[in-house]
Amino acid sequence: MTEVNLGEEIVFWFSGGLAVLGALGLILSRKAVHSALWVALTMINLAVLYVANSAPFLGMVQVVVYTGAVMMLFLFVLMVVGVDSSDSLIETLKGQRLVAIVLAVGLAILLVAGIGAGLTDVVPVGLDEANGVDGGNVQGIARLLFTDYLVAFEVTSALLITAALGAMVLAHRERWLPRASQEELSKARFIGAGHPGNLPSSGTYARHNAVDTPALLPDGSPSAQSIPGPLVARGDVRPVDHHEVEQIESLGGGSK
């Protein structure tokens, strides 16, 4: 039986705990981006466990492929396609929650049975003997992938490609109306009830150029359209100091 030293136990419990924490965060997070980040935490700690168990190649693949490429792909898709929180409350397939619960319970039973068998019936021997047969961890994995598990490896590759194509098809949205031209957008802007031209810039008189300072109209009154709406709603608009305006007019010869 292989002896486990104190350092290995510390790495196992620390990285294993963080991996479980990331898995729980994936399930409990309300935002898809946060769930993806929790998955990244789990994958990184799994890579640490692989390296600690004399499988450095698997650890590097876990970081480069899954944590790097796959997770960045997930985040890219989430940012491009967008996920609305209201979409998660709509069942596109009837009974999918019941099926998900049944599958989750079945997976939990398999995990408990596998862990129980590993703790009782299996004698740990480590990876030194397995790595020594083919001259190293990388050589051993390559031999298994391209001999014993070649068909499963190729089927998995085809499945991943099919899943990627299916995701692109599902995320694609047909354009029902043609894209509006620049002329059509300009006409719509003048026909509508909004302001057709550019709004006056804020902070257009001397001594103040902040965004909360209103612009002055030709009669000296402040322009309400020059201040962003959120600042007006919060009451953060800087009042116009007419004494300063008079000083500026006197310096400029009385012209506004």
Side-chain angles (χ1 to χ4, degrees):
M1 183 174 179
T2 304
E3 295 292 336
V4 179
N5 56 39
L6 179 61
E8 291 178 344
E9 290 186 0
I10 294 175
V11 171
F12 172 77
W13 290 110
F14 182 76
S15 298
L18 289 179
V20 174
L21 178 63
L24 293 176
L26 164 66
I27 299 173
L28 300 177
S29 295
R30 294 182 177 270
K31 295 185 178 180
V33 176
H34 294 171
S35 298
L37 295 177
W38 283 114
V39 173
L41 176 64
T42 300
M43 290 182 176
I44 291 175
N45 285 278
L46 288 178
V48 174
L49 293 176
Y50 288 149
V51 174
N53 284 278
S54 303
F57 179 76
L58 286 180
M60 294 303 103
V61 169
Q62 182 76 19
V63 172
V64 175
V65 177
Y66 288 96
T67 310
V70 176
M71 286 308 307
M72 291 304 103
L73 179 62
F74 285 170
L75 293 175
F76 179 77
V77 171
L78 290 175
M79 293 177 182
V80 172
V81 178
V83 177
D84 190 359
S85 59
S86 61
D87 295 341
S88 60
L89 302 178
I90 301 175
E91 291 191 9
T92 56
L93 299 175
K94 293 184 178 180
Q96 62 180 3
R97 294 192 179 184
L98 178 61
V99 175
I101 293 174
V102 173
L103 293 177
V105 173
L107 179 61
I109 294 175
L110 290 176
L111 289 176
V112 172
I115 294 174
L119 294 176
T120 56
D121 299 335
V122 178
V123 178
V125 295
L127 294 179
D128 294 335
E129 182 179 353
N131 292 337
V133 174
D134 298 293
N137 181 256
V138 178
Q139 294 85 341
I141 293 176
R143 183 185 64 80
L144 291 175
L145 284 180
F146 294 103
T147 55
D148 298 344
Y149 299 99
L150 178 61
V151 176
F153 181 73
E154 295 298 334
V155 170
T156 304
S157 302
L159 180 62
L160 292 176
I161 295 175
T162 305
L165 294 177
M168 289 189 291
V169 172
L170 293 176
H172 177 70
R173 297 179 181 178
E174 294 289 343
R175 182 180 294 275
W176 300 103
L177 298 175
R179 185 185 297 273
S181 62
Q182 186 68 27
E183 180 181 359
E184 293 173 345
L185 293 175
S186 179
K187 289 181 179 179
R189 185 174 60 182
F190 279 90
I191 293 175
H195 196 283
N198 295 328
L199 296 176
S201 302
S202 58
T204 54
Y205 67 91
R207 302 188 183 183
H208 297 289
N209 61 353
V211 71
D212 60 348
T213 303
L216 297 182
L217 298 176
D219 60 353
S221 61
S223 173
Q225 295 178 334
S226 63
I227 301 298
L231 294 181
V232 177
R234 294 200 303 262
D236 293 337
V237 180
R238 184 192 299 270
V240 177
D241 191 344
H242 294 282
H243 178 66
E244 292 185 355
V245 176
E246 293 175 356
Q247 290 181 348
I248 296 170
E249 291 179 359
S250 62
L251 294 176
S255 60
K256 294 183 180 179

